[in-house]
Amino acid sequence: MKKVAVILSGSGVFDGTEIHEAVLTLLAIRQHGGQYQCFAPDKSQLHVVNHLTGEEVVGESRNVLVESARIARGEIKPVTECKEEDFDAIILPGGFGAAKNLCTFATKGADCSVDEDVMAVCKAFAEAGKPAGYACIAPALAAAVYGNNVKLTIGDDEATAAGINKLGAQHVNCQVDDIVVDTEVKLVTTPAYMLAQDILEAHAGLNKMVQTVLGMQ
């Protein structure tokens, strides 16, 4: 049974992990015979967003690990405890938290930096040649991790794709229910809610991503 490290970035599409993407990813891992352990950085979110109004909540602070624990049903560890040698693959669902809390792509674009602890973990998997899946906006982080003209997708948004290319990646336009695979580095990406109009569309690509990651040797 393959073991997958899943890195979350909070709870909620606008300031953390996209919850549907996270749950669909965890479900797909189990359906395809794998098991998972969730991780998240133990630090404050960039900001807090009211998901009913879409507006920032001024003066409120939340912790990424604590919020991610909502999705993981409490079964989560600090990302500093994620050791590449304990897992066969790594997957990062999307949501703006991936571009706000795991890295600063949402605010700085191609000039973004990646959380040091998250970068260390993602780099370890990349350097070990282990399969990885990044969904939605998370491939922006993958661009910073892999560089070297790595092939990946966030769908077909031109401005976002341009920023990703500046990070050293090669963006490939992709339909919502499909994936882009860079076989050389064993990286699988899918647009998910960068394009998805409903949960069925998100599921199609995420399921394909997980199945492909788990099928890689």
Side-chain angles (χ1 to χ4, degrees):
M1 182 179 288
K2 291 193 174 180
K3 297 180 179 179
V4 183
V6 178
I7 298 184
L8 303 178
S9 60
S11 180
V13 59
F14 299 129
D15 58 9
T17 304
E18 210 299 317
I19 296 174
H20 292 175
E21 289 183 15
V23 174
L24 289 169
T25 295
L26 299 180
L27 176 61
I29 291 170
R30 294 294 295 117
Q31 286 179 324
H32 293 294
Q35 61 184 36
Y36 60 80
Q37 173 63 54
C38 293
F39 297 91
D42 185 2
K43 67 175 191 178
S44 296
Q45 296 180 183
L46 171 67
H47 60 190
V48 178
V49 174
N50 179 326
H51 280 64
L52 187 61
T53 65
E55 297 176 354
E56 182 177 350
V57 182
V58 179
E60 184 171 343
S61 177
R62 297 189 185 185
N63 179 279
V64 178
L65 179 61
V66 173
E67 288 301 294
S68 298
R70 294 176 179 272
I71 298 174
R73 295 174 56 83
E75 294 294 326
I76 194 166
K77 299 177 180 180
V79 74
T80 51
E81 294 183 19
C82 181
K83 306 302 179 187
E84 163 271 317
E85 59 267 24
D86 296 335
F87 297 93
D88 299 293
I90 187 170
I91 293 180
L92 284 78
F96 278 113
K100 290 178 177 179
N101 304 325
L102 303 187
C103 69
T104 59
F105 186 81
T107 55
K108 296 186 178 179
D111 295 321
C112 72
S113 59
V114 180
D115 177 275
E116 287 185 8
D117 295 329
V118 172
M119 178 62 105
V121 169
C122 293
K123 275 280 193 185
F125 278 85
E127 290 171 357
K130 292 188 174 179
Y134 289 69
C136 191
I137 192 61
L141 196 155
V145 171
Y146 290 87
N148 297 322
N149 220 30
V150 64
K151 295 181 178 65
L152 49 72
T153 191
I154 48 82
D156 59 14
D157 183 79
E158 290 185 10
T160 307
I164 283 176
N165 287 339
K166 286 182 181 178
L167 285 168
Q170 180 183 337
H171 183 269
V172 180
N173 284 351
C174 180
Q175 298 296 311
V176 64
D177 60 349
D178 208 355
I179 57 175
V180 168
V181 183
D182 189 312
T183 54
E184 186 172 336
V185 298
K186 299 181 183 177
L187 175 66
V188 187
T189 52
T190 191
Y193 275 103
M194 286 293 289
L195 290 179
Q197 297 299 306
D198 66 24
I199 197 167
L200 279 173
E201 288 187 349
H203 167 69
L206 289 165
N207 186 60
K208 191 177 292 185
M209 178 188 75
V210 169
Q211 186 174 18
T212 303
V213 167
L214 291 178
M216 285 178 164
Q217 300 299 320

